[in-house]
Amino acid sequence: MDNVFLERIKHLIKIVIPRWNCVEVLDLFLLTVFLILRTFLSIYLAGVNGKIVKAIIQLDFMLFLKRIVNLGLLAIPASFVNSMLDFLNKRLGINFRRRLTSYFHGIYLKDMIYYQLCNLDSRIRNPDQRLTSDLEKWAQSLSMIYSNFSKPILDIILFSRKLSELVGWVGPAVVVVWYFISGLVIRFISPPFGKLTAIEQKLEGVYRAAHTDLVHHSEEVAFYKGN
C-alpha cells in the first residue's frame, strides 16, 4: 500500500512540476529564501527582546526607548517576509491546481470519458467533487507541505547553532531529543487523521452529488412527489 501511495504521489508531483525550469521551481526557490530570512529574523527578534528586558532591568529609559524603536523598525521587514511567504504559498497552490486541472480535464473530456464515468463505470464516484474541491484541497495542501516541513528543520538547525554559541551543545541536544520523543508519543496516541479526512471528503462528495442529482431530476421528483 505504501509503495502504491508513493508511486501515485510521485506521478502527481511530476504533473505539477513537469521540469526543473518551470515557474513552480522558481516559487519553491523563493519560498526557501524567505523561509531562511524569517528564521534569521526570528533569531534577531529574540535578541532584541532580550535587550529590551535587559534595559528594563537596568532602569535605563533612553536605552529602552531606543530598543523599542529598533523593534518597531524590525516589524517592517518581518511583515514583508511573512506576507511574501503567504503569497508564495498561495501562488504555488494556484499553479499546482492549474496544472492538475489542465491535465485531468484533458483526460476527462477526451473520448467521452465523462459519459463513461457518470453512466457506465461506477469505480470512480462523484467525479465532479474530485475534479473541483478535492483537487483544490490537494494542491493547497501540497503547497503548504514544503513550508510546514522545511521551516521546523531550519528552525532546529539555526536556533540550535545560536544556542550552542551561548550555552554549548548539551542544551540544544536535550531539546531536540525531547521534541523527538514528544513527536513519537503524539504519533502513537493521535487518531488516523489522514483516514478521517478521506472519509470526510467522500461524504462531502456524496452529499454534493445528491444535490446535483436533485437539481438535474427535480421535475421527475416533483411529478412523483418524492416517491
Side-chain angles (χ1 to χ4, degrees):
M1 179 63 71
D2 291 339
N3 292 334
V4 174
F5 174 77
L6 292 176
E7 287 296 325
R8 290 177 177 176
I9 291 294
K10 183 179 178 181
H11 178 64
L12 291 172
I13 290 178
K14 286 182 179 180
I15 295 174
V16 298
I17 308 179
R19 55 189 181 277
W20 66 270
N21 58 347
C22 61
V23 66
E24 289 80 9
V25 174
L26 176 61
D27 286 342
L28 287 172
F29 173 76
L30 293 175
L31 195 59
T32 303
V33 172
F34 279 97
L35 284 172
I36 295 173
L37 285 176
R38 188 171 73 170
T39 301
F40 277 110
L41 282 173
S42 298
I43 294 174
Y44 184 75
L45 180 63
V48 171
N49 289 330
K51 292 178 181 179
I52 291 175
V53 174
K54 185 177 181 180
I56 294 173
I57 294 175
Q58 294 175 350
L59 301 178
D60 191 334
F61 178 75
M62 293 305 299
L63 183 61
F64 169 76
L65 187 62
K66 178 180 178 181
R67 288 173 177 172
I68 285 293
V69 172
N70 290 336
L71 181 63
L73 293 176
L74 182 62
I76 298 175
S79 299
F80 174 75
V81 169
N82 288 330
S83 299
M84 280 299 299
L85 285 173
D86 188 53
F87 168 75
L88 289 171
N89 278 318
K90 294 292 180 58
R91 189 171 75 170
L92 191 62
I94 292 173
N95 288 333
F96 286 166
R97 184 185 180 187
R98 175 177 57 84
R99 290 194 182 275
L100 283 173
T101 301
S102 177
Y103 177 81
F104 285 115
H105 277 73
I107 298 175
Y108 184 63
L109 300 176
K110 183 180 179 181
D111 298 329
M112 292 193 296
I113 297 295
Y114 59 92
Y115 177 79
Q116 297 176 35
L117 284 178
C118 296
N119 297 279
L120 303 177
D121 194 342
S122 61
R123 289 177 298 176
I124 300 178
R125 296 184 176 181
N126 312 319
D128 55 340
Q129 171 78 14
R130 296 175 184 269
L131 292 173
T132 54
S133 180
D134 289 355
L135 191 146
E136 178 188 6
K137 290 182 179 180
W138 190 90
Q140 290 295 335
S141 297
L142 181 64
S143 67
M144 294 299 298
I145 281 177
Y146 180 75
S147 297
N148 293 336
F149 181 76
S150 58
K151 180 62 168 62
I153 294 177
L154 283 172
D155 287 346
I156 289 173
I157 294 174
L158 297 178
F159 274 101
S160 296
R161 179 176 174 272
K162 187 65 176 179
L163 284 174
S164 66
E165 296 175 358
L166 300 175
V167 298
W169 281 102
V170 177
V174 172
V175 173
V176 170
V177 172
W178 169 253
Y179 275 109
F180 180 75
I181 295 174
S182 300
L184 291 178
V185 173
I186 292 174
R187 180 177 177 83
F188 179 75
I189 65 176
S190 297
F193 290 110
K195 183 178 180 180
L196 293 175
T197 302
I199 295 174
E200 178 190 12
Q201 290 299 110
K202 181 180 178 181
L203 294 175
E204 286 184 359
V206 173
Y207 179 65
R208 178 174 179 171
H211 275 284
T212 302
D213 290 340
L214 181 61
V215 171
H216 288 167
H217 305 287
S218 59
E219 185 176 353
E220 291 86 346
V221 174
F223 180 78
Y224 289 109
K225 297 181 180 180
N227 294 321

